[in-house]
Amino acid sequence: MSKALEGVRILDMTHVQSGPTCTQLLAWLGADVIKLERPGTGDATRSQLRDIPDVDSLYFTMLNHNKRSITLNTKHETGKRVLDRLVEACDVLVENFAPGALERMGLTWEHIQELNPRMILASVKGFGPGPYEDCKVYENVAQCAGGAASTTGFLDGPPLVTGAQIGDSGTGLHLALGIVAALFQRERTGRGQKVLAPMQDGVLNLCRVKLRDQQRLERGPLKEYSQYGRGIPFGDATPRAGNDSGGGQPGWILKCKGWETDPNAYVYFITQAAVWGKICDLIGKPEWKEDPGYATPDARLDKLMHIFETIEEWTKTKTKFEVMEICNPLGIPVGPVLSMKELAEEPSLRATGTVVEVDHPERGPYLTVGCPIKLSDSPVEVKRSPLLGEHTDEILSQVLGLSESEIAEIKASGALGEVG
Ligand code: CAO
């Protein structure tokens, strides 16, 4: 079967997490992704957080599936010429170097356009134009600068970062969408363009509802925040809201049977207005259906914590899976807090290819997260990440059409050797 992005060739000059997640997605959608790496070391993540000595880390393998790897010293004169040829041969160049690094390699936008006017140059940077545009940025810096940390955590605690990599993988997703849109526009215009996804902007986009609340706060207290019911006054910025739902239907994380010993014996419970009556019956509070203090969503806002404590008395008598089994037929929205161990072992995620076991020649089998986007006409087969420089010769000959003697010349020049 064909693939959605078949025929699209990506020059992947990304490293660490944000850029690689973007190009991995494009590879899963069918693009030919050529990962260009520094000779000797390659992407720094190959050797970071290693669990097996001298073997590509899970950090690297889980972010670089379905790609080919070429090593090239892009600061070497011959290396620069090879790089130019690759720019000519590809549709998209994706990079997430620190600001200015690409230009220092000679790849200014003007030079790229001279080489290939159809080229799409896609970049992740920490910040867009402004006071911080020259800064290097990692995940948690973006979470802090994009509004996630100030709005995550409990009211009486410090700002918190989340485990979801919204700065890196989130921005990778944004960039992938920008690339696909630019490819689509190029169909009409014949021209490439620059696509920029700053991590701060990506995180802020994902925190959109918190900027909504910032503006609502100017008109009065945020009544759906449990802080309101607890009588704690609001300040002038959107506060941290613990496990409040963030939407119009109140929710909270509640203890389930076994919570004393199992750190994940919890369920997220939403008191959706439409099923309020069923919730009352379920937890043994049928009188709340008619009680004017509880009967309407507005009446409940000042007693949300009391309501959740009462529901928790019921959830504590059930496992999180029993809560699911009982609540789902009643239409009560609940979700178990699943550990990574439970997710890794979940048969339905294995069946859909979202959790996949992949074999690797050096590390053996390992688990990874497959493509989370399912296209009915573009199936995804998750293939292992490439070894460093595994496809250098293949790319020089197949993609650039170089002869064996030309490849030998490049090798003799030192352009494939370690960067000095
Ligand atoms: N041949 C020769 N040189 C190479 C090369 C190659 N194949 N590949 C990379 N290099 C060089 C670069 O040219 C650069 O050299 P100069 O600074 O001398 O021009 C150097 O390697 C390092 O690149 P870098 O500055 O991007 O890398 P870093 O480790 O210092 O910083 C990071 C890493 C992530 C902080 C920075 O790249 C960055 O801010 N990127 C943008 C934001 C981003 O994506 N952050 C998310 C990372 S995931 O958490």
Side-chain angles (χ1 to χ4, degrees):
M1 203 184 273
S2 69
K3 301 279 169 69
L5 294 182
E6 213 165 84
V8 174
R9 186 168 277 154
I10 313 276
L11 179 54
D12 178 8
M13 297 181 75
T14 68
H15 63 161
V16 201
Q17 186 184 161
S18 64
T21 57
C22 166
T23 50
Q24 177 170 258
L25 272 174
L26 300 174
W28 281 335
L29 296 177
D32 175 16
V33 176
I34 297 172
K35 184 167 174 106
L36 192 154
E37 294 179 82
R38 201 183 165 105
T41 47
D43 186 328
T45 57
R46 283 191 186 264
S47 57
Q48 282 174 0
L49 312 179
R50 271 187 174 148
D51 55 326
I52 305 174
D54 303 325
V55 168
D56 284 339
S57 68
L58 287 165
Y59 195 7
F60 177 84
T61 54
M62 291 178 71
L63 291 167
N64 289 285
H65 295 103
N66 297 58
K67 304 181 184 179
R68 300 197 274 174
S69 166
I70 178 174
T71 49
L72 186 71
N73 180 351
T74 55
K75 290 183 171 162
H76 187 283
E77 271 320 302
T78 307
K80 280 187 180 169
R81 282 205 292 280
V82 176
L83 183 58
D84 281 358
R85 296 283 310 271
L86 283 166
V87 170
E88 284 164 356
C90 292
D91 299 283
V92 186
L93 191 168
V94 191
E95 62 92 22
N96 67 314
F97 290 121
L102 191 72
E103 289 79 2
R104 286 195 290 278
M105 283 179 192
L107 287 184
T108 59
W109 176 231
E110 291 69 29
H111 183 55
I112 291 170
Q113 279 185 304
E114 270 166 29
L115 293 170
N116 181 358
R118 288 173 60 79
M119 171 60 80
I120 291 157
L121 170 61
S123 305
V124 169
K125 293 288 167 259
F127 294 92
Y132 304 123
E133 63 188 311
D134 293 327
C135 298
K136 287 183 177 178
V137 168
Y138 283 104
E139 170 70 47
N140 290 343
V141 175
Q143 286 200 25
C144 290
S150 70
T151 54
T152 303
F154 289 89
L155 205 51
D156 53 1
L160 265 194
V161 294
T162 90
Q165 303 286 283
I166 57 176
D168 280 336
S169 293
T171 307
L173 267 167
H174 284 98
L175 190 69
L177 178 59
I179 291 170
V180 173
L183 282 166
F184 189 63
Q185 189 173 4
R186 195 181 71 172
E187 288 297 301
R188 295 195 306 276
T189 64
R191 283 195 316 277
Q193 62 181 299
K194 286 191 281 184
V195 180
L196 173 66
M199 295 169 76
Q200 181 185 41
D201 305 39
V203 171
L204 180 57
N205 182 37
L206 298 175
C207 291
R208 180 172 294 265
V209 299
K210 300 297 178 181
L211 186 58
R212 171 201 68 193
D213 291 349
Q214 179 63 40
Q215 295 169 86
R216 292 173 62 230
L217 190 55
E218 285 159 21
R219 299 205 163 79
L222 304 169
K223 291 186 177 172
E224 79 285 5
Y225 279 51
S226 48
Q227 169 178 352
Y228 172 74
R230 286 187 278 155
I232 303 169
F234 285 82
D236 62 359
T238 307
R240 293 188 265 289
N243 288 317
D244 285 337
S245 85
Q249 305 289 348
W252 197 258
I253 287 187
L254 306 180
K255 291 169 182 160
C256 292
K257 198 175 182 176
W259 66 273
E260 298 90 338
T261 51
D262 176 356
N264 295 306
Y266 288 84
V267 72
Y268 199 91
F269 197 106
I270 298 180
T271 54
Q272 192 200 16
V275 288
W276 176 245
K278 288 179 180 166
I279 295 170
C280 296
D281 288 338
L282 186 68
I283 62 171
K285 286 281 180 194
E287 64 274 20
W288 279 0
K289 288 189 281 186
E290 307 301 332
D291 184 335
Y294 291 87
T296 65
D298 277 353
R300 295 194 283 273
L301 285 175
D302 62 356
K303 19 186 130 50
L304 285 179
M305 279 342 269
H306 171 63
I307 289 170
F308 284 120
E309 279 159 17
T310 310
I311 299 173
E312 192 172 60
E313 288 310 309
W314 177 78
T315 56
K316 277 186 345 196
T317 66
K318 310 275 179 261
T319 69
K320 60 189 175 189
F321 298 112
E322 286 167 348
V323 172
M324 286 288 283
E325 273 164 37
I326 296 167
C327 289
N328 279 330
L330 298 173
I332 303 169
V334 290
V337 171
L338 295 178
S339 68
M340 276 300 142
K341 184 169 187 299
E342 287 165 328
L343 287 162
E345 292 165 358
E346 172 57 43
S348 63
L349 292 174
R350 299 279 185 122
T352 58
T354 294
V355 176
V356 195
E357 191 172 292
V358 180
D359 207 6
H360 187 276
E362 293 180 341
R363 68 162 37 256
Y366 65 95
L367 271 196
T368 194
V369 183
C371 186
I373 308 163
K374 318 292 182 190
L375 276 72
S376 64
D377 234 9
S378 183
V380 175
E381 186 200 342
V382 180
K383 295 188 189 149
R384 70 166 174 86
S385 58
L387 302 175
L388 180 61
E390 185 177 345
H391 306 97
T392 301
D393 284 21
E394 178 183 304
I395 290 161
L396 292 176
S397 72
Q398 264 184 18
V399 178
L400 298 188
L402 300 181
S403 65
E404 272 183 28
S405 61
E406 286 170 318
I407 295 173
E409 239 174 77
I410 291 170
K411 285 184 179 164
S413 77
L416 307 187
E418 293 210 17
V419 181

